[in-house]
Every structure is written in structure tokens, then in C-alpha cells.
Amino acid sequence: MVDKEESEERRKFKILPLSIGIETVGGIFTPVVLRGTPLPAKRHQIFTTAEDDQKSVEIKIYIGERPIAQKNLEISRLHLTDLPGGPKGQPQITLSIEVAQDISIEGEAIEQQSMRRISIHADQTSINLDEKLIKEILQDAERSRDEDQVALRIKEQHNEAQNLIHQAEGILRDKDKIKIY
């Protein structure tokens, strides 16, 4: 897993030892680059807003294997502002994450309509990733699997309920605009 030749100060990994992803609605960890991916790697994924007329998004990047974002290690944050707004789910934000063999990360978020963009660089040393920490994170994820699945189901059901409420509110708002004969 680790290339023992360390002519540089940083460790070199042949594969990504832990998944890298972001926190999405309800605090759910959504992997973007999966554990076991050969390095270097670059992945893109499209996300959207969680509320109507949302003018900014904060993208929290994590590394780990737990389905609840805050149970993983936060690497960095991107704050994309001055979004054009619009209905929930309409703005398209392309997130790109590039991971080097030393687990340094380049992240970029671009809102597709306005082309607003923000980028970050997170160095591996900011999380001090070593074999011991990787092993602890994997063991913790395994030990917590059942508890995490229950918490994930609750969060997903909450998100579904919120979406139904949002849809019902939209129908009620539009009801006055519809003429029934």
C-alpha cells in the first residue's frame, strides 16, 4: 500500500487508503474518490443546491469510511458564493477532486450557469495520514457499521420527508395559479 521509497519527506501511496468525499444534505458523507482507487486520480461529480434561491454553498471535504460526514476527518472547506439562485436542485455545481500519491488534494467547485469557481489545495500533512491512523479509521468504521447504518437510514428518511414537504409547498403555491373549470 505504501511505496517505501521515500526520497521525499512525504509518503507515497499507490492506492487511496480511505475514501474522499463531501458532506451532503443531512450530514451524509458522499464519496467522490473511493478507497482503493489507483493514485494519482481525478474525479468529477455534479451536485446541486438544497434550498430555493440558495446564494452560496459550503463544501466540506472529508476523508474516511463512515457514512455520516462528521464521523470522518475534515480535510478542507470550499465556500462558493454569489450563486445565481433558482429553485432547489436547479443550480449545477461541478466538484473536481484530484488526489496525488502523497494524498495532497486539489479541489475545485464551479457553478455551471455563472461559472463562479473556487479552488483549494490540501496537503497530506494537514491530516498527518499514516498507517496507524488509516488502520484506526478502518477499524472504527467496521466497529460502527451497524450504528452508522441506522443513523444513515434516519438521515435519508428525514431528507425524503423534507423533499416531500418542499414538493407539497410548491403545489400549494402553484394551486392559486391553476384555473380549474
Side-chain angles (χ1 to χ4, degrees):
M1 185 149 92
V2 176
D3 186 351
K4 293 296 180 185
E5 183 179 302
E6 295 186 33
S7 58
E8 302 173 3
E9 287 285 317
R10 299 179 184 169
R11 303 186 89 123
K12 300 278 186 176
F13 292 84
K14 293 180 182 178
I15 63 167
L16 186 60
L18 300 166
S19 296
I20 296 174
I22 67 167
E23 180 177 352
T24 54
V25 175
I28 295 173
F29 177 65
T30 302
V32 176
V33 187
L34 296 173
R35 175 177 172 233
T37 299
L39 294 176
K42 186 172 187 174
R43 299 289 184 272
H44 309 277
Q45 196 164 337
I46 296 175
F47 294 92
T48 189
T49 54
E51 299 173 12
D52 288 336
D53 297 315
Q54 191 170 334
K55 297 295 184 186
S56 67
V57 292
E58 182 176 48
I59 301 168
K60 297 177 186 176
I61 302 174
Y62 292 88
I63 188 166
E65 297 301 319
R66 309 265 313 260
I68 307 305
Q70 293 181 344
K71 303 282 184 170
N72 296 301
L73 294 175
E74 185 175 331
I75 298 171
S76 190
R77 293 179 187 212
L78 293 159
H79 196 78
L80 189 58
T81 60
D82 299 324
L83 299 179
K88 169 184 176 175
Q90 188 178 38
Q92 301 287 298
I93 300 164
T94 301
L95 177 68
S96 300
I97 295 180
E98 187 171 355
V99 186
Q101 286 185 312
D102 65 357
I103 315 296
S104 61
I105 296 165
E106 300 289 334
E108 181 177 60
I110 304 171
E111 193 285 318
Q112 294 303 305
Q113 182 182 342
S114 66
M115 296 308 287
R116 296 269 309 140
R117 70 178 58 218
I118 187 140
S119 60
I120 56 103
H121 172 82
D123 197 294
Q124 186 268 347
T125 57
S126 67
I127 54 172
N128 198 19
L129 196 61
D130 61 20
E131 293 291 336
K132 182 181 176 194
L133 180 58
I134 293 167
K135 186 176 179 180
E136 287 173 10
I137 290 170
L138 292 173
Q139 288 173 344
D140 186 46
E142 185 60 35
R143 269 192 313 272
S144 305
R145 183 182 312 265
D146 292 340
E147 172 190 329
D148 284 351
Q149 288 306 311
V150 170
L152 179 61
R153 276 195 300 275
I154 290 169
K155 286 182 177 292
E156 289 173 336
Q157 288 172 348
H158 180 265
N159 288 347
E160 282 182 44
Q162 292 291 9
N163 284 334
L164 289 172
I165 290 168
H166 182 265
Q167 289 173 1
E169 288 171 342
I171 290 169
L172 291 173
R173 271 192 308 273
D174 293 342
K175 174 184 99 160
D176 296 331
K177 299 176 187 173
I178 299 171
K179 293 183 179 182
I180 300 175
Y181 298 96

